[in-house]
Short mmCIF file of all heavy atoms in Angstrom, two decimals:
data_model
loop_
_atom_site.label_atom_id
_atom_site.label_comp_id
_atom_site.label_asym_id
_atom_site.label_seq_id
_atom_site.Cartn_x
_atom_site.Cartn_y
_atom_site.Cartn_z
N ASP A 1469 16.53 22.98 0.11
CA ASP A 1469 17.34 23.97 -0.56
C ASP A 1469 17.08 23.89 -2.06
O ASP A 1469 17.20 22.82 -2.67
CB ASP A 1469 18.83 23.73 -0.28
CG ASP A 1469 19.17 24.01 1.18
OD1 ASP A 1469 18.44 24.80 1.80
OD2 ASP A 1469 20.14 23.40 1.68
N MET A 1470 16.73 25.02 -2.67
CA MET A 1470 16.46 25.06 -4.09
C MET A 1470 17.30 26.16 -4.72
O MET A 1470 17.35 27.28 -4.22
CB MET A 1470 14.97 25.35 -4.34
CG MET A 1470 14.05 24.27 -3.82
SD MET A 1470 12.32 24.69 -4.09
CE MET A 1470 12.16 26.16 -3.09
N LYS A 1471 17.96 25.84 -5.81
CA LYS A 1471 18.79 26.81 -6.50
C LYS A 1471 17.92 27.68 -7.38
O LYS A 1471 17.23 27.19 -8.28
CB LYS A 1471 19.86 26.11 -7.34
CG LYS A 1471 20.79 27.09 -8.07
CD LYS A 1471 21.88 26.35 -8.79
CE LYS A 1471 22.75 27.30 -9.60
NZ LYS A 1471 23.30 28.38 -8.77
N VAL A 1472 17.91 28.98 -7.13
CA VAL A 1472 17.12 29.94 -7.90
C VAL A 1472 18.05 31.05 -8.36
O VAL A 1472 18.71 31.68 -7.55
CB VAL A 1472 15.97 30.52 -7.05
CG1 VAL A 1472 15.20 31.55 -7.86
CG2 VAL A 1472 15.04 29.42 -6.58
N ASP A 1473 18.10 31.25 -9.67
CA ASP A 1473 18.89 32.35 -10.22
C ASP A 1473 18.02 33.60 -10.29
O ASP A 1473 16.91 33.56 -10.80
CB ASP A 1473 19.41 32.01 -11.63
CG ASP A 1473 20.38 30.84 -11.60
OD1 ASP A 1473 21.12 30.74 -10.61
OD2 ASP A 1473 20.38 30.05 -12.54
N GLY A 1474 18.57 34.73 -9.80
CA GLY A 1474 17.78 35.95 -9.79
C GLY A 1474 16.77 35.94 -8.66
O GLY A 1474 16.94 35.25 -7.64
N LEU A 1475 15.68 36.71 -8.82
CA LEU A 1475 14.67 36.79 -7.78
C LEU A 1475 13.80 35.54 -7.71
O LEU A 1475 13.41 35.09 -6.63
CB LEU A 1475 13.78 38.01 -7.99
CG LEU A 1475 14.39 39.38 -7.71
CD1 LEU A 1475 13.36 40.48 -7.90
CD2 LEU A 1475 14.95 39.45 -6.30
N ALA A 1476 13.47 34.97 -8.89
CA ALA A 1476 12.57 33.83 -8.91
C ALA A 1476 12.66 33.11 -10.25
O ALA A 1476 13.20 33.63 -11.22
CB ALA A 1476 11.13 34.29 -8.67
N THR A 1477 12.12 31.90 -10.27
CA THR A 1477 11.96 31.15 -11.52
C THR A 1477 10.51 30.71 -11.62
O THR A 1477 9.80 30.56 -10.60
CB THR A 1477 12.87 29.90 -11.56
OG1 THR A 1477 12.49 29.01 -10.51
CG2 THR A 1477 14.33 30.29 -11.40
N VAL A 1478 10.04 30.48 -12.85
CA VAL A 1478 8.69 29.99 -13.06
C VAL A 1478 8.75 28.82 -14.04
O VAL A 1478 9.50 28.84 -15.01
CB VAL A 1478 7.75 31.09 -13.59
CG1 VAL A 1478 8.23 31.64 -14.93
CG2 VAL A 1478 6.32 30.59 -13.69
N GLU A 1479 7.95 27.79 -13.77
CA GLU A 1479 7.92 26.60 -14.61
C GLU A 1479 6.47 26.21 -14.88
O GLU A 1479 5.65 26.15 -13.96
CB GLU A 1479 8.65 25.44 -13.92
CG GLU A 1479 8.66 24.15 -14.73
CD GLU A 1479 9.36 23.02 -14.00
OE1 GLU A 1479 9.71 23.20 -12.83
OE2 GLU A 1479 9.54 21.95 -14.63
N ALA A 1480 6.15 25.96 -16.14
CA ALA A 1480 4.81 25.52 -16.51
C ALA A 1480 4.62 24.06 -16.10
O ALA A 1480 5.47 23.22 -16.34
CB ALA A 1480 4.60 25.68 -18.01
N LEU A 1481 3.48 23.77 -15.47
CA LEU A 1481 3.14 22.41 -15.07
C LEU A 1481 2.15 21.84 -16.07
O LEU A 1481 1.05 22.36 -16.22
CB LEU A 1481 2.55 22.41 -13.66
CG LEU A 1481 3.45 23.00 -12.56
CD1 LEU A 1481 2.72 22.99 -11.23
CD2 LEU A 1481 4.76 22.22 -12.46
N LYS A 1482 2.54 20.79 -16.76
CA LYS A 1482 1.69 20.22 -17.80
C LYS A 1482 0.68 19.23 -17.22
O LYS A 1482 -0.43 19.08 -17.73
CB LYS A 1482 2.56 19.54 -18.86
CG LYS A 1482 3.57 20.49 -19.51
CD LYS A 1482 2.88 21.66 -20.20
CE LYS A 1482 3.88 22.67 -20.75
NZ LYS A 1482 4.70 22.14 -21.84
N GLU A 1483 1.07 18.51 -16.17
CA GLU A 1483 0.17 17.56 -15.53
C GLU A 1483 0.10 17.89 -14.03
O GLU A 1483 1.11 17.94 -13.35
CB GLU A 1483 0.66 16.13 -15.73
CG GLU A 1483 0.65 15.67 -17.18
CD GLU A 1483 -0.74 15.61 -17.77
OE1 GLU A 1483 -1.70 15.37 -16.99
OE2 GLU A 1483 -0.89 15.80 -18.99
N PHE A 1484 -1.11 18.11 -13.53
CA PHE A 1484 -1.28 18.43 -12.12
C PHE A 1484 -2.69 18.05 -11.71
O PHE A 1484 -3.61 17.92 -12.54
CB PHE A 1484 -0.99 19.91 -11.85
CG PHE A 1484 -1.66 20.86 -12.81
CD1 PHE A 1484 -2.89 21.42 -12.52
CD2 PHE A 1484 -1.06 21.18 -14.02
CE1 PHE A 1484 -3.50 22.29 -13.40
CE2 PHE A 1484 -1.65 22.05 -14.91
CZ PHE A 1484 -2.89 22.61 -14.60
N ASP A 1485 -2.90 17.87 -10.41
CA ASP A 1485 -4.17 17.36 -9.91
C ASP A 1485 -5.34 18.30 -10.21
O ASP A 1485 -6.45 17.84 -10.48
CB ASP A 1485 -4.08 17.12 -8.39
CG ASP A 1485 -3.18 15.95 -8.06
OD1 ASP A 1485 -2.93 15.12 -8.98
OD2 ASP A 1485 -2.72 15.85 -6.91
N THR A 1486 -5.11 19.63 -10.15
CA THR A 1486 -6.18 20.58 -10.42
C THR A 1486 -6.69 20.42 -11.85
O THR A 1486 -7.89 20.50 -12.12
CB THR A 1486 -5.69 22.02 -10.20
OG1 THR A 1486 -4.83 22.06 -9.08
CG2 THR A 1486 -6.86 22.95 -9.97
N LYS A 1487 -5.77 20.19 -12.80
CA LYS A 1487 -6.15 20.01 -14.19
C LYS A 1487 -6.98 18.74 -14.37
O LYS A 1487 -7.99 18.74 -15.09
CB LYS A 1487 -4.89 19.94 -15.06
CG LYS A 1487 -5.18 19.69 -16.53
CD LYS A 1487 -3.90 19.57 -17.33
CE LYS A 1487 -4.18 19.26 -18.79
NZ LYS A 1487 -2.93 19.08 -19.57
N LYS A 1488 -6.56 17.66 -13.72
CA LYS A 1488 -7.30 16.41 -13.83
C LYS A 1488 -8.73 16.56 -13.31
O LYS A 1488 -9.69 16.04 -13.90
CB LYS A 1488 -6.57 15.31 -13.06
CG LYS A 1488 -5.20 14.97 -13.63
CD LYS A 1488 -4.48 13.96 -12.76
CE LYS A 1488 -3.07 13.68 -13.30
NZ LYS A 1488 -2.32 12.75 -12.41
N ALA A 1489 -8.87 17.29 -12.20
CA ALA A 1489 -10.20 17.52 -11.64
C ALA A 1489 -11.04 18.38 -12.58
O ALA A 1489 -12.23 18.13 -12.78
CB ALA A 1489 -10.09 18.19 -10.28
N ALA A 1490 -10.42 19.42 -13.17
CA ALA A 1490 -11.13 20.30 -14.09
C ALA A 1490 -11.62 19.52 -15.31
O ALA A 1490 -12.74 19.74 -15.80
CB ALA A 1490 -10.23 21.45 -14.51
N GLU A 1491 -10.81 18.59 -15.79
CA GLU A 1491 -11.21 17.79 -16.95
C GLU A 1491 -12.36 16.85 -16.59
O GLU A 1491 -13.28 16.65 -17.38
CB GLU A 1491 -10.00 17.00 -17.47
CG GLU A 1491 -8.94 17.89 -18.13
CD GLU A 1491 -7.70 17.11 -18.51
OE1 GLU A 1491 -7.54 15.97 -18.03
OE2 GLU A 1491 -6.87 17.66 -19.28
N ARG A 1492 -12.31 16.27 -15.39
CA ARG A 1492 -13.40 15.38 -14.97
C ARG A 1492 -14.71 16.15 -14.82
O ARG A 1492 -15.79 15.62 -15.07
CB ARG A 1492 -13.03 14.70 -13.65
CG ARG A 1492 -11.97 13.62 -13.78
CD ARG A 1492 -11.96 12.73 -12.56
NE ARG A 1492 -11.61 13.46 -11.36
CZ ARG A 1492 -10.37 13.59 -10.89
NH1 ARG A 1492 -9.36 13.04 -11.56
NH2 ARG A 1492 -10.14 14.26 -9.79
N LEU A 1493 -14.61 17.42 -14.41
CA LEU A 1493 -15.81 18.24 -14.20
C LEU A 1493 -16.25 18.96 -15.47
O LEU A 1493 -17.21 19.72 -15.45
CB LEU A 1493 -15.54 19.28 -13.09
CG LEU A 1493 -15.27 18.71 -11.70
CD1 LEU A 1493 -14.81 19.80 -10.75
CD2 LEU A 1493 -16.52 18.02 -11.16
N ALA A 1494 -15.52 18.73 -16.57
CA ALA A 1494 -15.83 19.37 -17.86
C ALA A 1494 -15.79 20.89 -17.75
O ALA A 1494 -16.64 21.59 -18.30
CB ALA A 1494 -17.19 18.89 -18.37
N LEU A 1495 -14.80 21.40 -17.03
CA LEU A 1495 -14.62 22.85 -16.92
C LEU A 1495 -13.77 23.34 -18.09
O LEU A 1495 -13.33 22.57 -18.93
CB LEU A 1495 -13.95 23.19 -15.59
CG LEU A 1495 -14.70 22.76 -14.33
CD1 LEU A 1495 -13.92 23.11 -13.09
CD2 LEU A 1495 -16.09 23.41 -14.29
N GLY A 1496 -13.53 24.64 -18.12
CA GLY A 1496 -12.74 25.22 -19.19
C GLY A 1496 -11.26 24.99 -18.99
O GLY A 1496 -10.84 24.24 -18.09
N PRO A 1497 -10.42 25.64 -19.80
CA PRO A 1497 -8.97 25.45 -19.70
C PRO A 1497 -8.42 25.93 -18.37
O PRO A 1497 -8.97 26.84 -17.74
CB PRO A 1497 -8.42 26.29 -20.86
CG PRO A 1497 -9.48 27.30 -21.13
CD PRO A 1497 -10.78 26.61 -20.85
N ILE A 1498 -7.33 25.31 -17.94
CA ILE A 1498 -6.70 25.67 -16.68
C ILE A 1498 -5.18 25.56 -16.85
O ILE A 1498 -4.68 24.63 -17.47
CB ILE A 1498 -7.22 24.78 -15.53
CG1 ILE A 1498 -6.65 25.23 -14.19
CG2 ILE A 1498 -6.93 23.32 -15.79
CD1 ILE A 1498 -7.34 24.59 -13.00
N PHE A 1499 -4.48 26.55 -16.33
CA PHE A 1499 -3.02 26.59 -16.41
C PHE A 1499 -2.47 26.66 -14.98
O PHE A 1499 -3.05 27.32 -14.12
CB PHE A 1499 -2.53 27.83 -17.17
CG PHE A 1499 -3.08 27.97 -18.55
CD1 PHE A 1499 -4.25 28.67 -18.79
CD2 PHE A 1499 -2.42 27.41 -19.64
CE1 PHE A 1499 -4.76 28.82 -20.07
CE2 PHE A 1499 -2.91 27.54 -20.93
CZ PHE A 1499 -4.09 28.25 -21.15
N GLU A 1500 -1.33 26.01 -14.77
CA GLU A 1500 -0.72 26.08 -13.45
C GLU A 1500 0.80 26.15 -13.58
O GLU A 1500 1.39 25.56 -14.49
CB GLU A 1500 -1.13 24.87 -12.60
CG GLU A 1500 -0.87 25.06 -11.12
CD GLU A 1500 -1.67 24.09 -10.27
OE1 GLU A 1500 -2.92 24.19 -10.24
OE2 GLU A 1500 -1.03 23.22 -9.63
N PHE A 1501 1.42 26.87 -12.64
CA PHE A 1501 2.86 27.12 -12.67
C PHE A 1501 3.45 26.95 -11.28
O PHE A 1501 2.80 27.22 -10.28
CB PHE A 1501 3.16 28.54 -13.17
CG PHE A 1501 2.60 28.85 -14.52
CD1 PHE A 1501 1.28 29.28 -14.65
CD2 PHE A 1501 3.38 28.71 -15.67
CE1 PHE A 1501 0.75 29.56 -15.91
CE2 PHE A 1501 2.86 28.99 -16.91
CZ PHE A 1501 1.54 29.41 -17.04
N ASP A 1502 4.71 26.54 -11.26
CA ASP A 1502 5.47 26.46 -10.02
C ASP A 1502 6.45 27.63 -10.00
O ASP A 1502 7.30 27.75 -10.88
CB ASP A 1502 6.22 25.13 -9.94
CG ASP A 1502 7.00 24.99 -8.64
OD1 ASP A 1502 6.58 25.62 -7.63
OD2 ASP A 1502 8.00 24.27 -8.62
N VAL A 1503 6.31 28.50 -9.00
CA VAL A 1503 7.21 29.66 -8.85
C VAL A 1503 8.09 29.43 -7.64
O VAL A 1503 7.59 29.13 -6.54
CB VAL A 1503 6.43 30.98 -8.68
CG1 VAL A 1503 7.39 32.15 -8.62
CG2 VAL A 1503 5.44 31.16 -9.83
N LYS A 1504 9.40 29.55 -7.83
CA LYS A 1504 10.35 29.39 -6.73
C LYS A 1504 11.09 30.70 -6.52
O LYS A 1504 11.53 31.34 -7.48
CB LYS A 1504 11.35 28.26 -7.02
CG LYS A 1504 10.71 26.87 -7.01
CD LYS A 1504 11.75 25.79 -7.23
CE LYS A 1504 11.16 24.40 -7.01
NZ LYS A 1504 10.08 24.07 -7.94
N PHE A 1505 11.25 31.10 -5.26
CA PHE A 1505 11.83 32.39 -4.90
C PHE A 1505 13.20 32.21 -4.24
O PHE A 1505 13.39 31.30 -3.44
CB PHE A 1505 10.92 33.15 -3.94
CG PHE A 1505 9.54 33.41 -4.49
CD1 PHE A 1505 8.50 32.54 -4.21
CD2 PHE A 1505 9.29 34.52 -5.29
CE1 PHE A 1505 7.23 32.76 -4.70
CE2 PHE A 1505 8.02 34.74 -5.80
CZ PHE A 1505 6.99 33.87 -5.50
N GLN A 1506 14.12 33.10 -4.59
CA GLN A 1506 15.42 33.13 -3.92
C GLN A 1506 15.25 33.58 -2.48
O GLN A 1506 15.76 32.98 -1.55
CB GLN A 1506 16.37 34.07 -4.67
CG GLN A 1506 17.73 34.25 -4.01
CD GLN A 1506 18.57 33.00 -4.09
OE1 GLN A 1506 18.43 32.23 -5.03
NE2 GLN A 1506 19.45 32.79 -3.13
N ASP A 1507 14.52 34.67 -2.29
CA ASP A 1507 14.25 35.20 -0.95
C ASP A 1507 12.80 35.69 -0.94
O ASP A 1507 12.52 36.83 -1.31
CB ASP A 1507 15.21 36.35 -0.62
CG ASP A 1507 15.11 36.77 0.83
OD1 ASP A 1507 14.13 36.38 1.50
OD2 ASP A 1507 16.01 37.48 1.31
#
């Protein structure tokens, strides 16, 4: 159960596995977000 106000919420993820892999592979910038939905 997750409390979500409105239709959805979005949160920026500063540390995540995809970013660590991108840095190891010397790729460009990468952004990732967690989106949670009420319904």
Side-chain angles (χ1 to χ4, degrees):
D1469 292 334
M1470 297 178 297
K1471 181 175 176 55
V1472 178
D1473 295 326
L1475 288 183
T1477 63
V1478 61
E1479 180 181 8
L1481 302 177
K1482 302 300 175 66
E1483 296 296 331
F1484 47 94
D1485 290 341
T1486 322
K1487 178 183 177 182
K1488 295 176 183 177
E1491 291 174 346
R1492 287 197 297 268
L1493 296 171
L1495 300 178
I1498 185 168
F1499 304 91
E1500 197 161 294
F1501 302 85
D1502 182 27
V1503 184
K1504 291 183 171 62
F1505 301 94
Q1506 176 70 29
D1507 190 345

